[in-house]
Amino acid sequence: MASSLHQLLKEEGFEKDKLLKNQPDDSTALPIYICHGRKSSEITEHKDEKTVIRNGSSVFSSFKPKSDEPVIDEAAIKAVISILGGYTGRYLKDESYRAMVKDKCTSCLLSRRKAGSDGGIFMNMELGIESIDKLVEDRGNKKELRMKLLRNSIRLLSIVASLNCEKSRNGSTCGVPHSHLSACAQLYLSIVYKLEKNHRLSARHLLQVFCDSAFLARTHLLPDLWDHFFLPHLLHLKVWYHKELEHLSNLGNALKETKMKALSKLYNDQMDMGTAMFAMYYKEWLKIGAKVPPVPTVPLPSSSSYGSSRRRSSESHASVSSINRNLYQTVFGATTEWQSMELDRRIRTSIDICRLEAEENEFKYENYNQNKKKIHRRSSSSHIHNTPKTELLPETQKSSHFRFFSCQSRPKGCLVNGKIDVRNNSMRKLEHLDLPLSDLSKAIATICSSDVLSDCEIAIRVMTKAWLDSHGDSTIEAALTKAPIIEGVLEVLFASNDDAVMELAILILAEFITRSKVNRQIILNSDPQLEIFLKLLKNSSLFLKAAVLLYLLRPKANQMISTEWIPLSLRVLEFGEHLQTLYTMRCSPQVAALYFLDQLLTGFNEDRNLENACQVVSLGGLNLLMRNVEFGGVLERNKAALIISCCIRADGSCRHYVADKLNKAALIELMVGNCKDSNGSVIALLTELLCLNRRTQMMKFLNELLRGWGGLNAMHILLACLHKALPEERPLVAALLLQLDLLGDPFRCSVYREEAVEVIIETLDCEKCNEKIQQQSAKALTMLGGRFSYMGEATTESWLLKQAGFHENLEDSFQKKEIGDNFLDEGEEEIENWQKKAAIALLNSGNKRFLAALSNSMAKDIPSLARASLVTIAWMSCFMHLAGDKDFQAMASSILTPRLLESSNPNRVLEERVLATFSLQQIRKSSAADGCDDGAEEEEGDLGDA
């Protein structure tokens, strides 16, 4: 086994200069999906970075090591930081999770606390936690105050963490072990650095929790993280422990209790040691410019150390811990080399189990389905010996509702000589089979009852050949499409490592599914968490056909819980360009991948959907999705557009990368291609992409969109889209159309502008529109405001409050959002010019009706729409003097003033009062400037005293 991830990577041919040369032709390794071109707050420069490109996506980042020693790949480091950061990030977003973490730390400290002087340690801890909670709950603090709180928290918690130094590590304060105090302090230091967006340092402090007190961290503080991140490295200890427990169960009560206590202590000590070793291992990863550290080896404890006389020949094989399989596959892919090492280890373990069968009279094996019901299988009459019951191997434990196939399988002398080409020749080879189980009824009996894997694999071949020869005969179909047979085929799929057999099983199951919905439901009921399909999707030869088979089943999100689904789906999306033929039907694997991603990003609760979308972004899935917006069928292109919009909502910073790289003509073409269907997915994506914080990038995007597609006018296409749009889509389409129109002369009327403004006025009518339309109308008004943060959040209101002087005098009570570089001088002029053009167009085209619609929506007091209307009036009032004449100014004042006076009442929210007062002042200034004598007195502009 390779001693490090780098060595494993090297063995598989992924060296920097041999990446493509060593790639096998007949299999496709799971690539590293890292989007190197994307701009984000964490990665600001990529101009000098070179990448190896395959099929339009970035596969592997290149780096220049400072020496000949191996350096950890950046993609692997990002994967580790991403996994660990998910746990600290949850603290910032989830109030209940914050309370739970605080309660856990408090309980483990106070439960053991005794009277005595603590030297201020507990007070430091409490103050540090209090400062962090204040930072998390009040994001609107002034920058200087936030920095002060951050430094204070770090200083206080570092004092507590320092107790775990070499001199005082084994000591305690008031009865609380220093290791416990330090672990809690390290946990909160991780959260502090997450707030500071120092993700690497945050991850290192989180790993230090497991170094300081492994037992406390894995059993009390962070058990979920331990299960996900550390346990896969240490499964051999858990398997050993349960086998030892089973052995002790046969002893007398007195002796058993003593030995069980000794065994439990030995197991926990070894597990703690292994946890700490791997925590230190990954900490080494996260050092800047670190060399690849050696993989820790965590041996099995000696059974004699707790008084057991039991000997196991398998200990020498199972005692070595391996790299986390899931993490490795997420980053580097399920490669042939890795699978061969796993298979080799499984074979060795199976041999050892067979030896143990001769030594032991009885082993207990319990097999549960989803409802924990035991499945009793008949032993095959062809067995030379009775098939013994044995314990599942670690690889099969999590899918224990499938039958165990004995290691006493028949020799496969009857199989076809020579290697089978899985992709092309599986069906051809069936014609030459001369098998003992050539009778179909015997094959059916075998697949339903036998525990001998080789017999069941032969039965699959016989059944497949019978199906092909029947040419759709109803008798054969009725004989084969029964629940026990389908379940038997699934069990073989789960247990077999023969690609040819697995492909035949996939093909025949596809036939069953297309024949009847009942067969589809049998498969879903038999494999409710799709664990068989997870295995198949990791197979480098069969993953595309497996994806098509799974797509035929149309699984729902709640069956796709594993974190492996995102990278596996992206793998199918990357390499599934060509149609796959499954006997009588053909399907694109990319269609399947987009279905899976749609389920994963929209089928859970909001938090899980956002987490999955962030994972798509972090693995570089945006490049693949943008490619699928350009090519393929209309439905698939729409789905790709919808998934991209989900990704942007989850990680707002990626909208800049998408806006820059996405083919705008493809979006216009897609609108045309949708014909009578809704353009909802395209509109959703365009809406997200137009929330850019830099006006120059926004104008570039709009101009590229305006070029249209195939000589067709983009504005005309959007107008047609507006006419057929669903009611809730119309305000957003109108806002898009108006922004394209404003690239021209704002004083020159056009049919596009008139239609767009008319739709906006209609959708502001609260009495005629439902809640969904009202929300979209508010969003349309926000888009027209033209000011956004880097993450795409509207900042027009914050800008207005700043203009009113509100932030200067009342900043401590106002929780404002970061406006970022919207206030940079070089961008301010472009934004003001945009707002000026938008205000003139809206006021001239909408005139009295538009102002009345805004006033009425404020009067209805619908929270989102009323506030958006008030903000719109406020920024337009700054430019009202440029629209219309004296009569227009008087009309505008008469419509808006009563409503604004009402909004400035003391019983209103403070920010609303400031916005209303600011608007009134601007309207009066406009009236004074238009037609009043030169000596007209203007009111002062500072509303800080409002």
Side-chain angles (χ1 to χ4, degrees), residues 82-140:
S82 176
I83 292 169
L84 297 173
Y87 287 83
T88 45
R90 187 179 171 192
Y91 187 93
L92 309 183
K93 295 183 291 185
D94 189 338
E95 186 177 351
S96 62
Y97 185 74
R98 279 200 299 277
M100 182 185 72
V101 170
K102 188 174 182 179
D103 288 345
K104 284 185 174 184
C105 285
T106 304
S107 65
C108 73
L109 298 180
L110 297 185
S111 62
R112 302 185 62 169
R113 186 175 178 181
K114 300 175 183 177
S117 173
D118 61 10
I121 294 299
F122 289 96
M123 180 61 72
N124 287 339
M125 190 76 188
E126 291 170 11
L127 289 174
I129 294 174
E130 186 180 321
S131 296
I132 292 170
D133 287 343
K134 187 174 182 182
L135 282 167
V136 172
E137 292 165 5
D138 191 0
R139 301 288 184 91

Side-chain angles (χ1 to χ4, degrees), residues 502-532:
M502 289 192 289
E503 183 177 14
L504 294 176
I506 288 171
L507 298 178
I508 199 169
L509 285 176
E511 289 289 294
F512 293 167
I513 294 167
T514 55
R515 292 293 194 280
S516 169
K517 292 181 179 179
V518 175
N519 297 334
R520 168 183 172 271
Q521 200 57 50
I522 291 170
I523 296 173
L524 290 175
N525 291 342
S526 300
D527 188 13
Q529 296 306 317
L530 307 178
E531 291 162 303
I532 295 175

Side-chain angles (χ1 to χ4, degrees), residues 295-353:
V295 180
T297 298
V298 186
L300 290 180
S302 170
S303 299
S304 60
S305 58
Y306 73 96
S308 173
S309 60
R310 189 180 189 199
R311 292 180 299 169
R312 288 177 176 265
S313 59
S314 61
E315 285 184 4
S316 60
H317 298 304
S319 64
V320 180
S321 169
S322 63
I323 281 293
N324 182 331
R325 180 180 179 186
N326 293 337
L327 177 60
Y328 183 86
Q329 288 179 345
T330 298
V331 182
F332 299 109
T335 59
T336 306
E337 178 70 21
W338 176 267
Q339 290 169 349
S340 66
M341 289 191 295
E342 284 292 297
L343 180 59
D344 181 57
R345 186 176 68 79
R346 219 180 306 175
I347 291 170
R348 290 198 308 267
T349 310
S350 297
I351 292 170
D352 290 331
I353 289 176

Side-chain angles (χ1 to χ4, degrees), residues 792-810:
E793 296 175 345
T795 58
T796 306
E797 181 178 331
S798 299
W799 174 79
L800 287 165
L801 291 167
K802 181 182 179 182
Q803 297 300 107
F806 182 71
H807 78 295
E808 294 172 0
N809 297 328
L810 298 172

Side-chain angles (χ1 to χ4, degrees), residues 772-788:
K772 182 67 175 175
I773 299 173
Q774 291 164 3
Q775 291 173 352
Q776 300 299 70
S777 297
K779 193 167 188 177
L781 292 178
T782 301
M783 289 173 62
L784 296 175
R787 291 180 181 273
F788 300 95

Side-chain angles (χ1 to χ4, degrees), residues 359-425:
E359 298 175 8
E360 312 250 356
N361 293 326
E362 201 173 332
F363 273 82
K364 292 182 180 178
Y365 166 68
E366 291 183 347
N367 205 355
Y368 292 88
N369 65 4
Q370 187 187 21
N371 298 316
K372 307 299 181 186
K373 295 178 181 177
K374 190 172 182 180
I375 299 176
H376 299 278
R377 302 300 303 234
R378 297 189 303 274
S379 296
S380 173
S381 59
S382 62
H383 288 191
I384 299 173
H385 305 287
N386 289 332
T387 303
K389 296 181 179 180
T390 187
E391 187 174 6
L392 279 176
L393 297 176
E395 289 83 356
T396 61
Q397 275 186 333
K398 74 177 197 175
S399 298
S400 60
H401 53 280
F402 296 110
R403 119 182 73 155
F404 178 78
F405 289 96
S406 169
C407 59
Q408 295 180 346
S409 57
R410 291 176 176 270
K412 295 189 180 181
C414 57
L415 297 184
V416 180
N417 293 326
K419 183 179 179 181
I420 295 176
D421 185 335
V422 175
R423 288 174 296 176
N424 300 316
N425 299 327

